[in-house]
Amino acid sequence: MKAVGIIVEYNPFHNGHLYHLEETKKQTGADCIIAVMSGNFLQRGEPALVSKWARTKMALSAGVDIVIELPYAFAVQSAERFASGAVTLLHSLFCEEICFGSENGNITAFIDAAKTFLEQKQQHDSYVQEALQEGVSYPRANAEAWKRLNATNLDLSKPNNVLGLAYVKAILQKQIPITPRTIRRIASDYHDKTFSHPSIASATSLRKALKGSLAHLETIAPYIPGTTKQTLEQYYDTYGMFHEWEAYFPFLKYRIMTAEEAELRQIAGVDEGIEHRLKQEIVAAPTFSAFMNSIKTKRYTWTRLQRICTHILTNFTKDQRKKTETPTYIRLLGMSSNGRRYLQHVKKHLPLPLVTKVSNLKHDPIYQQEKKASFAYAAIFPEPARTNVLKEEYATPPLLQ
Amino acid sequence: MKAVGIIVEYNPFHNGHLYHLEETKKQTGADCIIAVMSGNFLQRGEPALVSKWARTKMALSAGVDIVIELPYAFAVQSAERFASGAVTLLHSLFCEEICFGSENGNITAFIDAAKTFLEQKQQHDSYVQEALQEGVSYPRANAEAWKRLNATNLDLSKPNNVLGLAYVKAILQKQIPITPRTIRRIASDYHDKTFSHPSIASATSLRKALKGSLAHLETIAPYIPGTTKQTLEQYYDTYGMFHEWEAYFPFLKYRIMTAEEAELRQIAGVDEGIEHRLKQEIVAAPTFSAFMNSIKTKRYTWTRLQRICTHILTNFTKDQRKKTETPTYIRLLGMSSNGRRYLQHVKKHLPLPLVTKVSNLKHDPIYQQEKKASFAYAAIFPEPARTNVLKEEYATPPLLQ
């Protein structure tokens, strides 16, 4: 059986994702599609609209065979670490290929750029440092360095090109025997906030249109499969909300207000004295977006600041980041009957434990952080949902489709 | 002018407090009554029903001349440290006497017991240790030690006798030139939870009857001055609540769930491995009272556990406790015109700075903790109250009556 990996967040699963999934099957001839998916918090430092379980359900309904969790320690991270964790996990399940969506759509461009990067890493890094000295953000410094290397025509201002390049770099750097492949995204740029296609729209634009409420579900219905719509409805009916940063702000504010600066400095990503700024600006901030706007500088991208806020909220420390550099387990969130057959087939040979009961992970530092993140995610629920959601994290067996 | 000090929490101010205030004036011939009052969190590890400002107003309306704050670092502590901070502050304002309410009512009993304690401290401490070895709580071990010393007829199962003894011990131990005096409490034991007198009831019974809602204010009206009633009404109208532990539980739970055990161990009072128990029992606890009941043991009194919870909520660490052993400032919360005259009279000679603007205290470790406690107290408000209440903490000038 040929397994092909995809790296996803599905926040929420939409027609663009479906297109990517079906093209992946068609182009690779995969017998089994394995998705490694961020948990309750996402790469850009945001809570997922709905839980990992609901998003697993969307994925399985749409035809993914196996969903495994990309742990918090890799998910809420820069493209490099996100990619490294994801590719390692897909390789551990013996995926022969990975297939990612990108704005560029030509895999040779990614491979060439990754090779150049590895050959000229020092030069690239010194260009990045030079640009950072000028006070710009890391993504801009990175794009600037590539421009100066004059070695790629990849547009690195496009977020999916950046992620794609990170996957290919991880594969080459770690010499992982996995073939990368890319599919050109259609119609919508990742960050597009308006609808410009009759059935495809970015997850960002869908979340924006949804406005955290069921009332707007019909607006986004043309852009999502019926199963996503049902799952969203069901989630809202059960929990009374879609998750967004503003709901977590009381906890973030509480934590920043009551933490010492020295404690904030221990949090992953809190560097260069940003803790002063956080402590200073939080006092009068009434909302998350007001807070973000007040701490924003040329040097810090919105995403980087959101990740810092997420790490504070979930108490992810520098020390923990150090202890969690490589995946130590494969956590199964869900599978189809086809996926189950695949796992039966490979499970004796897996290099990492395949985990269906997280109680076995008590002492694993990666899972320690997952637990904290799960609780932070649940903290906004009234009882009994808060306690139940937490039990779900511990007790939910992998979903079956 | 003769100043006399009283040590209060006024949670809320009631007729028993009024009786104590008026008897104090009568018995001491004081020209000026100075109350040192706990701030937003109280000795037994609870949030105050209403803010320090509202309680200051109650005190001034009832005839107190000067209200100063007993900082968190002394207020939310054992009787010894509470007493030591309070007596030191009253002395710093040149009180000639202090007058406390007690179940016993005979000052000689307190002085004799305090002397015995100082003379036989080692013997007392070793009796306490022996009793603790048997696994009982500190208050029981202390009472047991006194019984074995056979040196007092003070009933040390009564909380106001215990506090009174701590005041007198602090005076003798620190050789503070202040005369202690006591007034026998009438009608109600501190912990009484029912009404047994037509106009006097304990603060505990009043809070219980109030049930956190304005609807029950009439029930307690016979037991409180009209000015207390007005202030409570006004507070509820403005903020929509009276404060109680349950409202803070989401934040406490969030913090315990996301903190590492090593972090909890740094919190004041978290000793003997109680952090394991806290982490374990918090997971399924839906309410504060369920949580408290689940962590309660013979060794830990309810009060001690509540203090631990308050220290976790406000992030008061062992390190900070060490740095805050003696008052460093006198914070004025309010004064009458008579109180103002008194302060005019003494202010040049004060051994500690008299603070009316807390912005001057930025780097004071005692005030650092006060700020964290103030924010924790405000964390449960929706905006804009949350931010406004915080501004009040920084910007409110002393109240004038």
Side-chain angles (χ1 to χ4, degrees):
Chain A
M1 286 178 89
K2 175 176 177 177
V4 170
I6 57 179
I7 298 160
V8 306
E9 299 205 296
Y10 290 162
N11 188 40
F13 189 96
H14 56 57
N15 291 343
H17 296 129
L18 188 62
Y19 168 80
H20 172 246
L21 180 59
E22 287 175 349
E23 278 297 303
T24 298
K25 288 181 181 175
K26 209 189 317 177
Q27 295 188 18
T28 63
D31 301 304
C32 176
I33 296 285
I34 303 179
V36 57
M37 186 179 81
S38 304
N40 289 334
F41 289 91
L42 307 178
Q43 202 248 334
R44 288 194 286 160
E46 291 170 320
L49 202 57
V50 294
S51 76
K52 59 179 89 166
W53 305 110
R55 282 153 48 240
T56 296
K57 202 169 161 191
M58 293 174 190
L60 296 175
S61 312
V64 172
D65 294 301
I66 295 172
V67 182
I68 62 172
E69 181 166 55
L70 183 64
Y72 180 98
F74 307 99
V76 185
Q77 292 292 335
S78 66
E80 277 62 35
R81 188 158 160 151
F82 179 89
S84 162
V87 169
T88 302
L89 282 168
L90 291 174
H91 174 55
S92 75
L93 278 173
F94 308 119
C95 289
E96 294 174 30
E97 302 185 16
I98 64 164
C99 184
F100 59 87
S102 67
E103 291 84 358
N104 182 289
N106 172 11
I107 195 64
T108 315
F110 289 92
I111 293 171
D112 289 348
K115 281 186 181 156
T116 305
F117 173 83
L118 293 178
E119 284 158 17
Q120 303 191 37
K121 190 173 183 324
Q122 284 196 328
Q123 188 60 56
H124 174 270
D125 288 354
S126 85
Y127 286 161
V128 167
Q129 285 310 318
E130 274 173 42
L132 285 176
Q133 295 299 322
E134 287 155 26
V136 302
S137 68
Y138 181 82
R140 281 206 49 188
N142 182 42
E144 180 64 25
W146 280 98
K147 217 166 128 190
R148 289 181 64 183
L149 282 180
N150 194 20
T152 183
N153 56 2
L154 268 184
D155 179 352
L156 291 170
S157 73
K158 301 290 184 193
N160 288 276
N161 286 346
V162 171
L163 279 172
L165 179 56
Y167 304 143
V168 179
K169 271 164 58 187
I171 289 170
L172 295 185
Q173 230 164 350
K174 296 167 171 267
Q175 301 184 301
I176 295 175
I178 208 167
T179 307
R181 188 188 282 269
T182 188
I183 290 169
R184 191 159 181 281
R185 290 165 62 90
I186 44 170
S188 272
D189 272 353
Y190 195 83
H191 282 294
D192 267 8
K193 287 181 183 166
T194 50
F195 300 143
S196 51
H197 185 281
S199 64
I200 305 277
S202 71
T204 306
S205 64
L206 295 178
R207 290 196 301 276
K208 202 187 162 215
L210 201 53
K211 292 180 187 151
S213 132
L214 207 53
H216 302 278
L217 194 54
E218 282 309 324
T219 318
I220 72 163
Y223 307 98
I224 56 177
T227 48
T228 291
K229 187 169 174 243
Q230 274 166 30
T231 307
L232 288 174
E233 270 165 351
Q234 208 181 349
Y235 193 89
Y236 201 95
D237 283 349
T238 309
Y239 298 112
M241 67 174 88
F242 296 130
H243 300 245
E244 46 182 14
W245 244 121
E246 291 299 349
Y248 293 91
F249 186 62
F251 294 94
L252 181 71
K253 181 160 179 166
Y254 159 74
R255 183 61 191 139
I256 298 177
M257 290 292 303
T258 56
E260 303 283 324
E261 284 196 3
E263 289 174 281
L264 292 179
R265 262 198 303 278
Q266 290 171 22
I267 297 294
V270 176
D271 297 308
E272 304 165 357
I274 185 90
E275 68 274 15
H276 306 303
R277 205 173 169 78
L278 298 174
K279 287 287 283 183
Q280 201 177 332
E281 298 299 331
I282 195 70
V283 181
T287 61
F288 181 69
S289 77
F291 179 55
M292 286 290 291
N293 280 310
S294 71
I295 57 177
K296 182 89 189 58
T297 65
K298 223 169 67 179
R299 194 185 190 89
Y300 282 81
T301 60
W302 188 274
T303 300
R304 184 172 168 196
L305 290 169
Q306 277 201 157
R307 268 191 225 122
I308 288 174
C309 289
T310 306
H311 295 333
I312 293 172
L313 184 74
T314 65
N315 196 24
F316 183 59
T317 62
K318 286 172 179 153
D319 185 48
Q320 275 178 295
R321 189 170 52 185
K322 245 182 246 162
K323 283 189 200 150
T324 57
E325 292 199 329
T326 317
T328 46
Y329 60 83
I330 306 165
R331 182 180 185 188
L332 187 61
L333 293 177
M335 57 190 166
S336 65
S337 52
N338 187 46
R340 192 208 301 248
R341 262 196 308 282
Y342 179 78
L343 289 177
Q344 295 274 332
H345 184 61
V346 299
K347 73 177 176 191
K348 282 193 187 152
H349 313 288
L350 297 175
L352 294 176
L354 181 68
V355 174
T356 54
K357 274 190 194 154
V358 289
S359 52
N360 299 338
L361 294 173
K362 255 185 194 160
H363 303 291
D364 184 291
I366 293 180
Y367 189 67
Q368 288 304 314
Q369 176 56 25
E370 208 60 41
K371 253 169 63 179
K372 294 194 296 180
S374 293
F375 180 73
Y377 192 73
I380 59 172
F381 288 120
E383 289 293 343
R386 181 176 55 194
T387 300
N388 290 341
V389 163
L390 204 57
K391 272 187 216 149
E392 270 178 30
E393 167 62 20
Y394 294 118
T396 305
L399 304 184
L400 300 176
Q401 178 77 9
Chain B
M1 286 177 89
K2 176 176 177 178
V4 171
I6 56 179
I7 298 160
V8 306
E9 299 205 297
Y10 291 162
N11 188 40
F13 189 97
H14 56 57
N15 292 343
H17 295 130
L18 189 61
Y19 168 79
H20 171 246
L21 180 60
E22 287 175 350
E23 278 297 303
T24 299
K25 286 181 183 175
K26 210 190 315 178
Q27 294 189 19
T28 63
D31 302 304
C32 176
I33 296 286
I34 303 178
V36 57
M37 185 179 82
S38 305
N40 289 335
F41 290 91
L42 307 178
Q43 203 248 335
R44 289 194 285 160
E46 292 170 320
L49 202 57
V50 294
S51 76
K52 59 179 89 168
W53 306 110
R55 282 151 50 239
T56 296
K57 203 169 160 191
M58 293 174 189
L60 296 175
S61 311
V64 172
D65 294 303
I66 294 171
V67 182
I68 61 172
E69 181 166 54
L70 183 64
Y72 180 98
F74 307 99
V76 186
Q77 292 293 335
S78 66
E80 277 62 35
R81 188 159 160 149
F82 179 89
S84 161
V87 169
T88 303
L89 282 169
L90 291 174
H91 174 56
S92 75
L93 279 174
F94 308 117
C95 290
E96 293 174 30
E97 301 185 16
I98 63 163
C99 184
F100 58 88
S102 66
E103 292 84 358
N104 181 290
N106 172 10
I107 194 65
T108 316
F110 288 92
I111 293 172
D112 289 348
K115 280 185 180 157
T116 306
F117 173 83
L118 293 178
E119 283 158 18
Q120 302 190 38
K121 191 174 182 324
Q122 283 194 331
Q123 187 60 56
H124 174 270
D125 288 355
S126 85
Y127 285 161
V128 167
Q129 285 310 316
E130 273 173 42
L132 284 177
Q133 295 298 322
E134 287 155 26
V136 303
S137 68
Y138 181 83
R140 281 205 50 187
N142 182 42
E144 181 62 26
W146 279 98
K147 217 167 130 191
R148 290 181 64 183
L149 283 180
N150 193 20
T152 183
N153 55 2
L154 268 183
D155 180 352
L156 291 171
S157 73
K158 301 290 184 194
N160 288 276
N161 287 346
V162 171
L163 279 172
L165 179 57
Y167 303 143
V168 178
K169 271 164 58 186
I171 289 170
L172 296 184
Q173 231 164 349
K174 296 167 170 265
Q175 301 185 300
I176 295 175
I178 208 167
T179 307
R181 189 188 281 268
T182 188
I183 290 169
R184 193 160 180 280
R185 290 165 62 89
I186 43 170
S188 271
D189 272 353
Y190 194 84
H191 283 293
D192 268 8
K193 288 181 181 166
T194 51
F195 299 143
S196 51
H197 184 281
S199 65
I200 305 278
S202 72
T204 307
S205 64
L206 296 177
R207 290 195 302 276
K208 201 187 162 215
L210 202 53
K211 292 180 187 150
S213 131
L214 207 53
H216 301 277
L217 194 53
E218 283 308 324
T219 317
I220 71 164
Y223 307 98
I224 56 178
T227 48
T228 292
K229 187 167 174 246
Q230 274 166 30
T231 307
L232 289 174
E233 270 166 351
Q234 208 180 351
Y235 194 89
Y236 201 95
D237 282 350
T238 309
Y239 298 113
M241 67 174 89
F242 296 130
H243 300 246
E244 45 183 14
W245 244 122
E246 291 299 349
Y248 293 91
F249 187 61
F251 294 94
L252 181 72
K253 180 160 180 168
Y254 159 73
R255 183 61 191 139
I256 297 178
M257 290 293 302
T258 56
E260 304 283 324
E261 284 196 3
E263 289 175 280
L264 292 179
R265 262 197 303 279
Q266 290 171 23
I267 298 294
V270 176
D271 296 309
E272 304 165 357
I274 185 89
E275 68 274 15
H276 305 303
R277 205 173 169 78
L278 297 174
K279 287 287 284 184
Q280 201 177 332
E281 298 299 331
I282 195 72
V283 181
T287 61
F288 181 69
S289 76
F291 179 55
M292 287 290 291
N293 280 310
S294 70
I295 57 177
K296 183 87 189 60
T297 65
K298 224 168 67 178
R299 193 184 191 90
Y300 282 80
T301 60
W302 188 275
T303 300
R304 185 171 168 197
L305 290 169
Q306 277 201 158
R307 267 191 225 123
I308 288 174
C309 289
T310 306
H311 295 332
I312 293 173
L313 183 74
T314 65
N315 196 25
F316 183 59
T317 61
K318 287 173 178 151
D319 185 48
Q320 275 178 295
R321 189 171 52 186
K322 246 183 247 162
K323 284 187 198 153
T324 57
E325 293 198 328
T326 317
T328 46
Y329 60 83
I330 305 165
R331 182 180 183 187
L332 188 62
L333 294 177
M335 58 189 166
S336 65
S337 52
N338 187 45
R340 191 207 301 248
R341 263 197 306 282
Y342 178 79
L343 288 177
Q344 294 272 334
H345 184 60
V346 298
K347 73 176 176 190
K348 282 191 186 155
H349 312 289
L350 297 175
L352 293 176
L354 180 68
V355 173
T356 54
K357 273 190 196 154
V358 290
S359 52
N360 299 338
L361 295 172
K362 255 186 196 162
H363 303 292
D364 185 290
I366 293 179
Y367 189 68
Q368 288 303 314
Q369 176 56 25
E370 208 60 41
K371 252 169 63 179
K372 293 193 296 181
S374 294
F375 181 73
Y377 192 73
I380 59 172
F381 288 121
E383 289 293 344
R386 180 176 56 194
T387 300
N388 289 342
V389 163
L390 203 58
K391 271 187 215 150
E392 269 179 30
E393 167 62 21
Y394 295 118
T396 304
L399 303 184
L400 301 175
Q401 179 76 11

